Amino acid sequence: MTALVRPFRLAPGARVAVVAPSGPVSEERLEAGLDILRGWDLDPVVAPHVRDRHGELGYLAGTDADRAADLQNAWCDPSVAAVLCARGGYGVQRIVDLLDWDAMRAAGPKVFVGFSDPTVLHQAFATRLGLVTLYGPAAAGADFVKNTRTQEHLRATLFDPESVRTVRADPGGGGVLVPGRARGITLGGCLALLAADLGTPHAPAGARGGLLFIEDVGEQAYRVDRMLTQLLRGGWLDGVTGIALGSWSDCGPYEKLRPVFVDRLGGLGVPVVEEFGFGHCEGALTIPLGVAAELDADAGTLTLDEPALR
């Protein structure tokens, strides 16, 4: 595993496209998110089908073809410097094979931001485009529109990436499951999507040489066990160098999850830090994926070799 191509940082006045590759979007939160982006002196444009809802499958933001077209057109638009997901939910797996990856590669590197269901896109951008991406808040997400810490960490990553070369665990978090330091290339995302993406054309073959960042929402302990076991049985975790655990919102009491992580991950012989503060939580941090870095489980820090963006 090698470090990927870093996109260019954003500058004041940059045009950013907001797309909805997954679930339907709250109009109120969309407008609030757009106002925040405008306050950063960005020029946000909303893709044509962001406000759609599928006529029969109400958990999708419009048809697969329309959602795919919005994403591809935004990415291939030379005036757009970054593409931001409006929210997660479900639906990316239905469109990732509809995208023209050759055309998107020809469009050159740009910034991609999203989390949760867009984990599938983070993996595809890595394997098909060789591109660093940002596992960060949704532009119309509740945490982004309400939490100053979430806003400021993303803003710093986009405009002044040198200032966040060291990402520190959430205050009060950063517990040590397995002590130590590890180096590798950052990868990961939502655990359920990593497990669901196994064996597909756009997923990485495994996490060998990688620092794995995982989190999830609404999954009971036995389901977290099942998904980790699937990754273990498939050999996907062979050679992983370190692991950071993010938020586990609505997954039950953490004291019931912790034994699962000890049982499934403790035997890998790599540092594991818990409650790092990314994913489905208040004040979520933005985690660059595809960059060379060092994870210090004892200190609760991720230190990037280079800024996430050029």
Side-chain angles (χ1 to χ4, degrees), residues 154-222:
L154 175 60
R155 182 179 183 179
T157 305
L158 293 174
F159 289 95
D160 185 21
E162 288 88 356
S163 69
V164 285
R165 273 188 61 185
T166 296
V167 182
R168 299 186 183 279
D170 190 22
V176 182
L177 198 75
V178 180
R181 295 183 180 182
R183 291 191 52 77
I185 307 299
T186 57
L187 79 163
C190 184
L191 176 60
L193 275 303
L194 295 175
D197 215 24
L198 277 178
T200 64
H202 309 296
R208 181 173 297 277
L211 297 172
L212 179 63
F213 285 73
I214 51 174
E215 58 90 22
D216 216 318
V217 61
E219 300 287 358
Q220 296 180 38
Y222 80 90

Side-chain angles (χ1 to χ4, degrees), residues 58-126:
Y59 48 81
L60 299 174
T63 67
D64 294 347
D66 286 342
R67 298 193 327 279
D70 275 1
L71 174 57
Q72 182 166 318
N73 291 338
W75 192 264
C76 293
D77 183 342
S79 73
V80 169
V83 174
L84 282 60
C85 295
R87 64 156 294 189
Y90 169 74
V92 168
Q93 285 189 305
R94 297 173 56 109
I95 71 168
V96 67
D97 298 313
L98 303 179
L99 299 171
D100 185 339
W101 290 100
D102 290 334
M104 293 175 68
R105 186 181 305 106
K110 56 186 67 177
V111 177
F112 176 76
V113 185
F115 86 112
S116 196
D117 192 56
T119 293
V120 175
L121 288 173
H122 285 287
Q123 299 216 113
F125 275 76

